[in-house]
């Protein structure tokens, strides 16, 4: 059965310097029916005030993807990386056996707006790693591969049998939703307005796809969306 995770039902954190919406259980938002889907554990839409951010903290056994939508982030980690992430770029930190990092708003006057995505690797431990790449240009309503597992040929390499795609459709475009046996699919609408099978989709909505074949997403406005294709 396909479920729509409505943006208005997301969890919410507001600390003053951070405003965050949680598609799945995270921090103080705990819902036993929303503990992730397949390898996808976290989708947080974060907004950080100027000059603020996440001070140094640790992670292990998780692949963490960051996609900047507006503003810039300054990243530092215990692997020695000191980089800036801008819109149009995606960062992937595979925490492995453990890594510490910080993510700070790189501006003293403008907020930073980004997605933070956690994906469960197929195996725990291993050496941590850092990757960063420009997001490949998406062609209309079609899906463009952003990250994948071994042999997928993606710019970013995940430690799971998972593929992450991006679509950047224009109004009037149609985007298909692939469904394959033994796979799980989740679609996250980043922005824009669309329809599927008579249901309205807007920025922040998620589509947890079951085994049934769905019609294409029909875009009312231009937009952006992510698709997660997962083995488990």
């Amino acid at each position: 059965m396909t479920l729509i995770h409505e943006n208005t039902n997301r969890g919410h954190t507001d600390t003053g310097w951070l405003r965050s919406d949680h598609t799945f259980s995270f921090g103080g938002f705990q819902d036993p029916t929303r503990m992730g889907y397949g390898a996808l554990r976290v989708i947080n839409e974060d907004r950080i005030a100027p000059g603020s951010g996440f001070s140094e903290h640790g992670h292990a056994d998780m692949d963490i993807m960051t996609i900047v939508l507006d503003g810039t982030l300054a990243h530092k980690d215990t692997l020695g990386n000191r980089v800036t992430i801008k819109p149009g770029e995606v960062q992937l930190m595979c925490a492995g056996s453990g890594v510490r990092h910080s993510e700070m708003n790189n501006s003293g006057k403008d907020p930073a707006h980004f997605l933070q995505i956690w994906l469960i690797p197929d195996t725990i431990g291993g050496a941590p790693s850092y990757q960063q790449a420009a997001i490949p240009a998406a062609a209309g309503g079609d899906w463009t591969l952003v990250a994948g597992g071994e042999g997928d040929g993606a710019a970013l390499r995940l430690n799971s049998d998972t593929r992450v795609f991006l679509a950047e459709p224009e109004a009037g475009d149609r985007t298909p939703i692939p469904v394959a046996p033994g796979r799980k699919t989740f679609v996250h609408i980043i922005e824009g307005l669309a329809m599927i099978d008579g249901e309205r989709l807007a920025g922040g909505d998620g589509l947890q796809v079951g085994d049934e074949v769905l019609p294409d997403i029909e875009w009312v406005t231009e937009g952006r969306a992510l698709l997660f294709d997962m083995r488990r």
Side-chain angles (χ1 to χ4, degrees), residues 10-14 19-22 29:
R10 290 185 292 179
H12 184 66
T13 297
D14 191 342
R19 290 188 296 122
S20 182
D21 293 299
H22 317 299
F29 170 62

Side-chain angles (χ1 to χ4, degrees), residues 136-222:
D142 294 334
W143 297 109
T144 297
L145 184 64
V146 174
E150 184 176 5
D152 286 330
L156 300 175
R157 164 78 183 278
L158 295 164
N159 289 318
S160 64
D161 183 3
T162 299
R163 294 181 295 168
V164 182
F165 297 86
L166 173 73
E168 295 184 324
E170 301 290 337
D173 284 344
R174 300 172 67 95
T175 302
I177 300 178
V179 177
R183 309 292 294 181
K184 291 188 175 182
T185 302
F186 192 93
V187 175
H188 176 79
I189 306 298
I190 300 173
E191 61 184 2
L193 177 64
M195 301 292 295
I196 184 167
D197 203 19
E199 298 288 341
R200 179 181 181 273
L201 297 174
D205 285 343
L207 194 64
Q208 182 173 308
V209 182
D211 294 329
E212 68 270 33
V213 176
L214 292 177
D216 294 348
I217 300 173
E218 300 180 27
W219 291 91
V220 179
T221 69
E222 65 178 8

Side-chain angles (χ1 to χ4, degrees), residues 92-169:
L92 177 62
M93 188 176 67
C94 299
S97 58
V99 64
R100 297 184 64 81
H101 75 120
S102 64
E103 307 287 342
M104 306 296 293
N105 186 340
N106 207 32
S107 172
K109 62 177 183 178
D110 297 318
H113 179 201
F114 59 98
L115 295 177
Q116 182 182 151
I117 298 159
W118 293 13
L119 293 155
I120 302 170
D122 287 344
T123 59
I124 63 172
S129 65
Y130 180 89
Q131 303 166 63
Q132 184 174 337
I135 297 175
D142 294 334
W143 297 109
T144 297
L145 184 64
V146 174
E150 184 176 5
D152 286 330
L156 300 175
R157 164 78 183 278
L158 295 164
N159 289 318
S160 64
D161 183 3
T162 299
R163 294 181 295 168
V164 182
F165 297 86
L166 173 73
E168 295 184 324

Side-chain angles (χ1 to χ4, degrees), residues 10 17-26 40-48 53-54 57-59 62-69 73 90-93 101-103 113-119 188 190 226 228:
R10 290 185 292 179
W17 64 270
L18 167 69
R19 290 188 296 122
S20 182
D21 293 299
H22 317 299
T23 296
F24 301 110
S25 294
F26 188 88
L40 181 57
R41 178 60 188 84
V42 167
I43 301 178
N44 287 348
E45 183 176 1
D46 292 345
R47 293 173 171 84
I48 294 179
F54 299 99
H57 59 286
H59 295 282
M62 196 68 68
D63 289 354
I64 301 171
M65 182 180 297
T66 301
I67 300 175
V68 174
L69 305 176
L73 289 177
V90 58
Q91 173 205 80
L92 177 62
M93 188 176 67
H101 75 120
S102 64
E103 307 287 342
H113 179 201
F114 59 98
L115 295 177
Q116 182 182 151
I117 298 159
W118 293 13
L119 293 155
H188 176 79
I190 300 173
L226 292 170
F228 302 86

